[in-house]
Amino acid sequence: TEILERIGHVPLPPYIERADNASDSERYQTVYAHHPGAVAAPTAGLHFDEVMLARLQGMGVETVFITLHVGAGTFQPIRVDDIREHRMHAEYLSVSQTTCDKINTAKREGRRVVAVGTTVVRALETAAQGRANVAGGRTPGATAADSGNVTPYEGETEIFIYPGYRFRIVDALLTNFHLPESTLLMLVCAFGGTEHVLSAYRHAVAREYRFYSYG
């Protein structure tokens, strides 16, 4: 880590056609980032600052944190006609016992679990499935061990979430627009419904919204 910080560069998204500078190490990062290791920021989290987090806390919103180191595979488009043949790059994640306890309590009390970003969705759904099911966790649907609870997990995940997947933990998702033919867009379509999501994209294009996640 020390060497990377000294001679490495901030891995800006490929559509930013300039070299990184000193301010990027702070700007292209969430305010709550803690563990180094990702090749990209979880960009939904870039919308939050300390003031916003304090306001949410004042409204009674409880916040818990997970770690998922976004990998280079995030930028890899799907190049197969049958999406079940797409191979996901493994990504490291860690979901602590404390986080699990708070999420499971919220579920029991009927409160919503809101994921900030697709990285959080992948981490929590992996932890809900358990270690035995995530290495090839590619097929939508329930597992025999499905309990609706999240359990502590540290390791890698190759989970591929696409339409037909039944979500176990996450009730709401805050996310950005995603690139066409990406696994992230498929995850969002699985969550919100393909027609609803693509309708939002058509609206954004018609109204000339600005896409992408930085700047």
Side-chain angles (χ1 to χ4, degrees):
T1 301
E2 216 173 274
I3 296 174
L4 285 174
E5 290 180 354
R6 187 169 71 249
I7 66 174
H9 294 271
V10 175
L12 296 177
Y15 50 78
I16 296 180
E17 298 177 351
R18 64 167 174 81
D20 62 297
N21 56 51
S23 67
D24 289 317
S25 61
E26 180 179 352
R27 292 185 64 229
Y28 189 56
Q29 185 61 275
T30 61
V31 297
Y32 46 79
H34 189 65
H35 302 291
V39 304
T43 50
L46 295 178
H47 301 289
F48 293 83
D49 57 17
E50 289 87 350
V51 175
M52 175 64 75
L53 291 172
R55 287 179 59 190
L56 290 171
Q57 185 177 14
M59 295 167 58
V61 176
E62 189 175 14
T63 305
V64 294
F65 299 95
I66 59 94
T67 294
L68 187 143
H69 290 329
V70 179
T74 293
F75 302 110
Q76 179 181 345
I78 295 175
R79 298 188 177 94
V80 294
D81 292 329
D82 187 341
I83 60 174
R84 292 172 297 182
E85 297 177 0
H86 178 76
R87 301 298 303 180
M88 295 289 288
H89 285 232
E91 295 176 316
Y92 169 84
L93 70 94
S94 175
V95 181
S96 70
Q97 181 68 64
T98 299
T99 292
C100 292
D101 291 343
K102 291 184 177 181
I103 290 174
N104 291 333
T105 297
K107 298 289 284 186
R108 286 195 301 271
E109 294 176 353
R111 291 182 283 140
R112 292 195 306 168
V113 174
V114 182
V116 178
T118 55
T119 54
V120 175
V121 175
R122 295 189 73 229
L124 293 184
E125 293 298 318
T126 295
Q129 290 188 30
R131 185 175 301 274
N133 297 312
V134 298
R138 305 159 51 76
T139 305
T143 66
D146 181 20
S147 64
N149 288 331
V150 62
T151 55
Y153 184 93
E154 181 175 5
E156 292 186 336
T157 182
E158 297 176 357
I159 190 172
F160 180 16
I161 297 175
Y162 52 86
Y165 181 88
R166 186 165 73 82
F167 292 85
R168 297 158 176 79
I169 301 300
V170 178
D171 300 303
L173 168 62
L174 174 67
T175 190
N176 298 319
F177 287 102
H178 297 284
L179 292 172
E181 300 180 353
S182 68
T183 59
L184 303 182
L185 178 56
M186 291 197 172
L187 183 153
V188 175
C189 286
F191 193 89
T194 301
E195 283 306 312
H196 288 298
V197 171
L198 295 185
S199 176
Y201 275 67
R202 287 190 291 268
H203 171 85
V205 171
R207 296 297 180 92
E208 298 183 348
Y209 286 11
R210 292 187 177 186
F211 282 76
Y212 302 138
S213 56
Y214 184 48

